[in-house]
Amino acid sequence: MAQGGPWRGVIAEYEDLLPVTEATPRLTLLEGGTPLIPSAQIGPSLPGDLRLFLKFEGLNPTGSFKDRGMVVAVAKAMEAGARATICASTGNTSASAAAYSARAGIPCMVLIPHGYIALGKLAQTVRHGAKVVPIKGNFDDCLRVVRDIVAHYPIALLNSLNPYRMDGQKTAAFEVCDALRGAPDYHALPVGNAGNVTAYWWGYCHYRELGMIDLQPRMLGFQAEGAAPLVRGEPIAKPETRATAIRIGNPARWRDAMRAIRESRGLITTVSEDEIRSAYERLAAEEGLFVEPASAASVAGVIRLAENGFFGEEPTTVVCTLTGHGLKDPDYALDAAPDLEPSPPDAEAVLERSLGSHVCA
Ligand code: F0G
């Protein structure tokens, strides 16, 4: 369990539970330690007796959960004397890899699907000094090329195929248990490359083995309808969703994720683009939480299941991970924006515009 006092980052807080030695550099941007926020509106609005908590991973240093695993993977790459790092990414992994590689002083190379990276993620990756190579293809094509490169060149792979990434991501499950003083009944996540749902499950299993919790949660995974290989049971050649973070047709952690769902007696299913949008808007407008579209998939899924009576009438604790910050994807945010035409600098005109003409009459 993490110590009290000012937060020191995931390696220092959980070093006993991570594969770090005295030789591992204490790299950190003070990632982790994110809040588990009780839902004020969405949870209470749902049928059943839900206690809904939102684990806001958008508050990590680069704005997504990726920082937890990245800090461990880059620290281990430093320990091994790596001269360069590489990853394929739908955006967040690249932003995180670029930031931690910059901090470590190691050159970083990222392959991204051309035209399908949210603006904020691209901006971060570029500014942290990574060599960005847009690929004519999707994430799965990028990852294939990255695997090819690391098979032939001594470059440290920073995708979640790297076991250290998974070790670091397990700390989010530790934090949930530390905060709740036990495990939730259900844990819901968006699923793309399927690393995070796997890492959470491994984290809960690890805490159970240590006797820190008695029961483990059921894992709930949600994929976008147009990018749902795990739900369909086969790779999708052309995955499509506005939630570009999870626009993945052939997840690298396929088998591990399906095992996590099965072992936890959980569920993996789809959510539609409209359901993602609606959960995204409700999180911002009703909870005050600005997340990126992929992150809203976990909440969209829980809303659907609750409305179908899935959770029954018993008191049930559900945690949804909000995987990334809303500032990552400003285009999606402003898609259905209200009228942003400028007004004359005049009180009456401004009031008329914002409150309607009858108020000013
Ligand atoms: N949510 C966000 C915001 C993500 O960036 C990702 C994955 C996921 C959910 C899904 O997690 O892949 O572990 O199942 N983003 C990766 C990337 C693929 O390259 O940034 P997963």
Side-chain angles (χ1 to χ4, degrees):
M1 184 159 173
Q3 310 278 310
W7 187 259
R8 297 168 300 153
V10 301
I11 292 182
E13 294 292 341
Y14 291 107
E15 63 182 348
D16 297 349
L17 307 183
L18 293 172
V20 294
T21 66
E22 280 179 11
T24 312
R26 280 351 191 215
L27 180 68
T28 190
L29 290 170
L30 300 185
E31 59 294 315
T34 59
L36 187 66
I37 304 171
S39 164
Q41 302 283 347
I42 298 177
S45 78
L46 296 172
D49 188 1
L50 286 194
R51 280 205 311 157
L52 178 63
F53 291 92
L54 306 163
K55 178 76 171 156
F56 193 16
E57 289 288 275
L59 296 182
N60 275 295
T62 77
S64 86
F65 72 95
K66 304 288 182 178
D67 295 343
R68 295 177 181 279
M70 202 56 74
V71 69
V72 181
V74 175
K76 295 304 278 187
M78 289 168 80
E79 185 181 338
R83 302 269 201 78
T85 59
I86 190 169
C87 67
S89 181
T90 58
N92 281 324
T93 297
S94 64
S96 187
Y100 283 90
S101 298
R103 187 84 175 181
I106 305 176
C108 175
M109 198 192 307
V110 308
L111 281 66
I112 52 174
H114 178 61
Y116 287 93
I117 296 294
L119 199 59
K121 305 174 189 183
L122 188 58
Q124 292 176 285
T125 308
V126 168
R127 289 276 57 95
H128 289 308
K131 289 271 173 276
V132 179
V133 185
I135 297 290
K136 288 181 199 158
N138 58 32
F139 170 84
D140 305 293
D141 299 312
C142 297
L143 187 56
R144 191 166 36 74
V145 176
V146 165
R147 291 172 94 150
D148 195 13
I149 291 173
V150 297
H152 296 99
Y153 297 90
I155 303 178
L157 169 74
L158 294 182
N159 282 103
S160 59
L161 289 162
N162 178 330
Y164 298 126
R165 282 273 316 276
M166 304 296 282
D167 290 316
Q169 283 178 209
K170 284 162 58 179
T171 61
F174 303 157
E175 286 179 19
V176 169
C177 298
D178 293 350
L180 293 176
R181 306 201 176 282
D185 297 307
Y186 292 89
H187 194 122
L189 291 148
V191 175
N193 212 25
N196 210 26
V197 68
T198 305
Y200 267 94
W201 176 242
W202 291 355
Y204 285 119
C205 291
H206 196 154
Y207 246 33
R208 174 110 188 250
E209 281 157 23
L210 293 171
M212 302 290 285
I213 53 174
D214 301 329
L215 296 171
Q216 290 148 272
R218 294 183 171 196
M219 303 303 297
L220 303 175
F222 299 101
Q223 300 203 288
E225 257 170 19
L230 298 184
V231 180
R232 311 264 178 252
E234 58 183 11
I236 310 283
K238 290 193 173 17
E240 278 310 336
T241 171
R242 290 290 309 281
T244 51
I246 52 173
R247 187 175 168 272
I248 294 176
N250 193 8
R253 288 279 176 187
W254 187 306
R255 288 176 56 190
D256 292 323
M258 292 312 284
R259 192 174 307 129
I261 300 287
R262 204 171 47 243
E263 285 178 3
S264 73
R265 294 177 301 125
L267 176 78
I268 183 151
T269 187
T270 59
V271 283
S272 71
E273 295 294 308
D274 286 349
E275 286 174 309
I276 293 173
R277 181 89 210 177
S278 162
Y280 169 89
E281 289 179 359
R282 288 189 68 184
L283 280 163
E286 297 177 32
E287 303 282 358
L289 295 173
F290 190 31
V291 305
E292 65 169 285
S295 307
S298 57
V299 176
V302 165
I303 292 173
R304 159 110 66 78
L305 292 180
E307 285 174 350
N308 290 343
F310 176 86
F311 298 109
E313 296 301 320
E314 294 297 308
T316 305
T317 304
V318 181
V319 172
C320 289
T321 298
L322 306 177
T323 46
H325 202 283
L327 291 171
K328 296 270 189 178
D329 196 342
D331 295 315
Y332 188 87
L334 293 175
D335 231 19
D339 178 12
L340 295 177
E341 278 301 305
S343 160
D346 167 86
E348 215 158 285
V350 167
L351 285 173
E352 184 175 324
R353 177 75 173 268
S354 50
L355 301 174
S357 53
H358 58 285
V359 179
C360 309

